[in-house]
Amino acid sequence: MAQIPNLDNAPVNLSSIREQSQKELITILKNIRGKKCLVVDPKLGGSLSLIVQTSLLKALQILEEEKVHHLMTIGEYPLYVVPLDEDVLSFELDLASKEYAVDGDTSALWHIAKAIHKLEFSFGLIPNVRAKGKASVCVAEILNRMQAEEPVNISDVAIPEINTLILLDREVDMVTPMCSQLTYEGLLDEQQCDRILSAYGSHQRLAIHGMGHATTWILLLIPAIHFLHVNNGAAELDASIMGVQQQEGKKMKVPLNSSDKLFKEIRDLNFEVVVQVLRQKATSMKQDYTEISSMTQTVSELKDFVKKLNSLPEMTRHINLAQYLSTFTSKPSFLGRLDMEHTLVEAQSYDICFEYIEEMIHKQEPLVNVLRLLILFSVTNAGLPKKNFDYLRQVLLSLDEFLTLSWREILHSYGFEHMATLNNLEKAGLLRKQESKSNWLTIKRALQLVVDDTDTANPNDISYVFSGYAPLSIRLVQHAVRSGWRPVEEILKLLPGPHSETKRVNFLSSLGDGRRSQVLVVFIGGVTFAEISALRYLSAQSGVAAGNRLTLELALEVDLILRIKKQVKVLGFGTPELVKFTDFWVKQGCKFLVPVFRISRYMEGMAYDLVVGTTKIVSGSTLTETFIEKLG
């Protein structure tokens, strides 16, 4: 079993959430008399392992028998939130995006609000709530109703641990997940398949009708190859990838969370930097080994060397993983796709991009890969031009006929109903005909989403996670944390869904006690690892920026108060009482802040920690797959 994530360094006490969930589960089991066998749906096994180890349960067994209902005691275990890592919480609602956008099912929104409200009972009522998107605004409203019906006692907590809640719909930014993640953890989670069917071979034929002509392709099935998928802080992979040749073909699970110290250090780096870091560490270890061989080291130096050897399994693990990833990131097909993604994000050469997508279809590349680029094309271009949209429908329906017959024959009744998939994507607004001019250029420029000459080794902006593209979602978080929605209100109107901003209660913030502000950012519909990396970068940088800001503010404070006093007299409001008031503040020698005039500016420069809440961790592929309907 992969090691459970370490929560010791969490910005808020997430260990208490895990412990409470453990207690609730154990209590349920204890209330059932006699010996018990816990029946766990395979889909829930990973989530449950993040809450409680199997040794605590004594018995964990997965049964797939029928007609045993009379032997079972069925109960409810209200698992609203699961700590995936020290700064990531999951609501375990995998299909929330499709259920809300396509099926009109809002039940997931109640569960999200309930989970947040439960957090408030542990950490205090969150005073500031900012939401963007239909689902997010709805969750904010449900949260307020829950507070009215089952209130968190404000008097129990002098100052709430979480200062601000930011709710974001995934539909507000569908550009980011459709781009290939370039952080180490993001790449590990990508599922971009290589070509499944090649245009060379002799035993399957398919006519694809293009623009007024028919093209015949000769197709050969070849194995699908994809990046690893990180699930609940671990990845299951072939033992051969980790260099275990004698177990070739067998699977092994490796931890990919904060319990791995090396992974914690490199997970958020751009992948090209990770390779350099691992090379440097391996070289350093080799040098240490050479020096230790000279037999001139002290006992203390030997002890230090042995400590380094303890990290050797982690080093070996990530060198093997990096080598595996490098075989794909160096391929022309991967680099070509990156080039098309950047072209679409920059809103250039749409005709060339569509030709590229058309070629992908003709080469029978996996449907998920095709749809990811189509969605990116549609979102940045306010839809597909009518001729392209109609053509794609025709092509994909022809493709459907082939796949439903041939996949059943070759892959034992496995296939896709593409017409239903297209309808799902249309309902969700992800794939549609172009009916108006795109606002993407305006959004891109206003929020500085494309950054030239991004330094991935020494980044000074969140754009390093996509090598030049700053995630739209995280730019919005930046503004929401600093000064709320008001400064970007016009841009918000260009993005899908309404927005809201609520101050639920006033607390006297202790700005001078050195505490960092805690911000909970909730993504409804999923978040990518690259976005989480960008949020961690913001959190790390906020401390540095806030320190510089506060030093400058304190140095100017007396001068500012003197100028306020002078200005008050010039404006004719220099009553004796007000003059005495300002004199009082001057005499304090910067021990206190001037109220009203200063509070907002200090909040803008305050250091903060970000905790991520999400319905699920997604990549472009896994998110797209939720809209694909499979044939039974």
Side-chain angles (χ1 to χ4, degrees), residues 2 54 164 424-425 429 482 499 502 559 620:
T54 54
T164 302
N424 289 343
L425 292 171
R482 286 177 183 173
H499 62 276
T502 307
D559 180 63

Side-chain angles (χ1 to χ4, degrees), residues 31-163:
N31 288 336
I32 303 172
R33 294 180 180 180
K35 293 182 179 180
K36 320 171 248 301
C37 181
L38 182 61
V39 181
V40 181
D41 188 308
K43 293 180 181 178
L44 300 177
S47 303
L48 202 60
S49 69
L50 296 172
I51 294 297
V52 56
Q53 297 281 28
T54 54
S55 58
L56 185 60
L57 295 176
K58 307 297 184 185
L60 177 65
Q61 186 175 352
I62 299 174
L63 302 177
E64 295 182 353
E65 297 179 6
E66 296 181 359
K67 300 179 181 178
V68 291
H69 298 287
H70 62 287
L71 301 176
M72 294 183 179
T73 300
I74 300 175
E76 181 178 329
Y77 175 42
L79 184 61
Y80 288 105
V81 61
V82 175
L84 291 183
D85 218 316
E86 60 187 22
D87 56 356
V88 182
L89 299 169
S90 174
F91 306 127
E92 298 298 284
L93 297 167
D94 291 358
L95 299 177
S97 184
K98 177 183 178 291
E99 287 173 349
Y100 181 74
V102 178
D103 305 328
D105 184 352
T106 61
S107 58
L109 306 187
W110 183 90
H111 283 276
I112 295 167
K114 183 66 176 179
I116 296 170
H117 198 48
K118 285 194 69 174
L119 291 176
E120 290 185 308
F121 279 102
S122 297
F123 305 121
L125 184 69
I126 303 173
N128 304 296
V129 178
R130 291 156 189 160
K132 173 58 182 171
K134 290 183 292 185
S136 292
V137 170
C138 185
V139 168
E141 293 171 351
I142 296 172
L143 193 59
N144 286 335
R145 289 202 299 270
M146 287 180 175
Q147 173 61 16
E149 295 166 2
E150 189 182 3
V152 175
N153 194 338
I154 299 173
S155 62
D156 290 346
V157 183
I159 300 174
E161 291 190 47
I162 301 173
N163 177 267

Side-chain angles (χ1 to χ4, degrees), residues 196-253:
I196 293 180
L197 296 168
S198 175
Y200 305 95
S202 59
H203 64 278
Q204 290 289 351
R205 290 178 181 269
L206 168 70
I208 298 181
H209 298 276
M211 296 291 191
H213 62 279
T215 307
T216 301
W217 293 87
I218 302 175
L219 305 167
L220 172 67
L221 185 72
I222 61 176
I225 305 174
H226 55 74
F227 299 130
L228 310 175
H229 176 50
V230 181
N231 187 26
N232 294 311
E236 190 174 51
L237 43 80
D238 288 333
S240 59
I241 295 174
M242 305 308 293
V244 187
Q245 299 301 331
Q246 64 268 29
Q247 295 184 9
E248 190 170 356
K250 292 188 176 181
K251 299 288 184 181
M252 63 183 298
K253 186 172 283 189

Side-chain angles (χ1 to χ4, degrees), residues 278-324:
L278 292 176
R279 185 181 293 114
Q280 290 169 1
K281 287 183 177 293
T283 302
S284 175
M285 189 169 287
K286 182 179 179 181
Q287 185 177 347
D288 289 342
Y289 178 78
T290 302
E291 292 175 356
I292 212 73
S293 302
S294 65
M295 302 298 289
T296 60
Q297 279 66 35
T298 65
V299 174
S300 178
E301 288 172 333
L302 287 171
K303 186 177 180 181
D304 291 339
F305 178 68
V306 171
K307 284 183 179 179
K308 288 187 178 181
L309 286 180
N310 290 335
S311 65
L312 188 59
E314 293 179 352
M315 275 283 295
T316 304
R317 177 190 306 154
H318 292 293
I319 287 173
N320 285 329
L321 288 174
Q323 182 180 17
Y324 179 76

Side-chain angles (χ1 to χ4, degrees), residues 376-561:
L376 188 58
F377 188 116
S378 180
V379 172
T380 56
N381 195 43
L384 301 174
K386 184 179 183 302
K387 65 175 183 178
N388 300 135
F389 186 86
D390 293 341
Y391 164 65
L392 282 172
R393 264 186 172 280
Q394 181 182 1
V395 168
L396 288 174
L397 286 175
S398 298
L399 191 62
D400 177 54
E401 181 184 357
F402 166 75
L403 286 174
T404 51
L405 293 173
S406 298
W407 275 112
R408 287 190 177 209
E409 177 185 344
I410 300 170
L411 297 178
H412 307 288
S413 300
Y414 187 80
F416 298 104
E417 181 61 55
H418 298 301
M419 189 63 203
T421 298
L422 287 175
N423 287 335
N424 289 343
L425 292 171
E426 285 185 70
K427 280 185 180 180
L430 301 179
L431 206 59
R432 57 194 177 92
K433 288 183 183 180
Q434 187 182 54
E435 296 177 350
S436 61
K437 187 178 179 181
S438 173
N439 293 318
W440 177 249
L441 269 176
T442 304
I443 296 167
K444 182 192 75 170
R445 290 168 181 164
L447 296 177
Q448 296 180 304
L449 299 183
V450 175
V451 180
D452 296 327
D453 303 320
T454 300
D455 187 347
T456 56
N458 300 290
N460 57 8
D461 185 77
I462 58 173
S463 58
Y464 84 92
V465 298
F466 287 100
S467 294
Y469 164 65
L472 167 59
S473 57
I474 312 305
R475 278 285 193 251
L476 294 178
V477 171
Q478 276 185 289
H479 285 283
V481 171
R482 286 177 183 173
S483 48
W485 291 140
R486 185 171 296 179
V488 289
E489 198 153 20
E490 294 305 313
I491 295 300
L492 290 177
K493 292 176 182 177
L494 301 178
L495 295 167
H499 62 276
S500 66
E501 186 163 4
T502 307
K503 192 165 188 67
R504 302 164 78 201
V505 66
N506 288 308
F507 282 98
L508 292 175
S509 298
S510 180
L511 298 177
D513 63 1
R515 294 198 317 165
R516 293 169 66 91
S517 177
Q518 308 296 327
V519 180
L520 175 60
V521 184
V522 172
F523 291 83
I524 300 175
V527 65
T528 65
F529 280 120
E531 289 170 299
I532 294 174
S533 293
L535 288 171
R536 288 178 180 142
Y537 173 84
L538 284 184
S539 184
Q541 294 300 306
S542 73
V544 177
N548 294 337
R549 180 67 176 271
L550 287 172
T551 301
L552 178 62
E553 297 280 7
L554 289 173
L556 296 177
E557 182 140 350
V558 172
D559 180 63
L560 175 64
I561 297 171

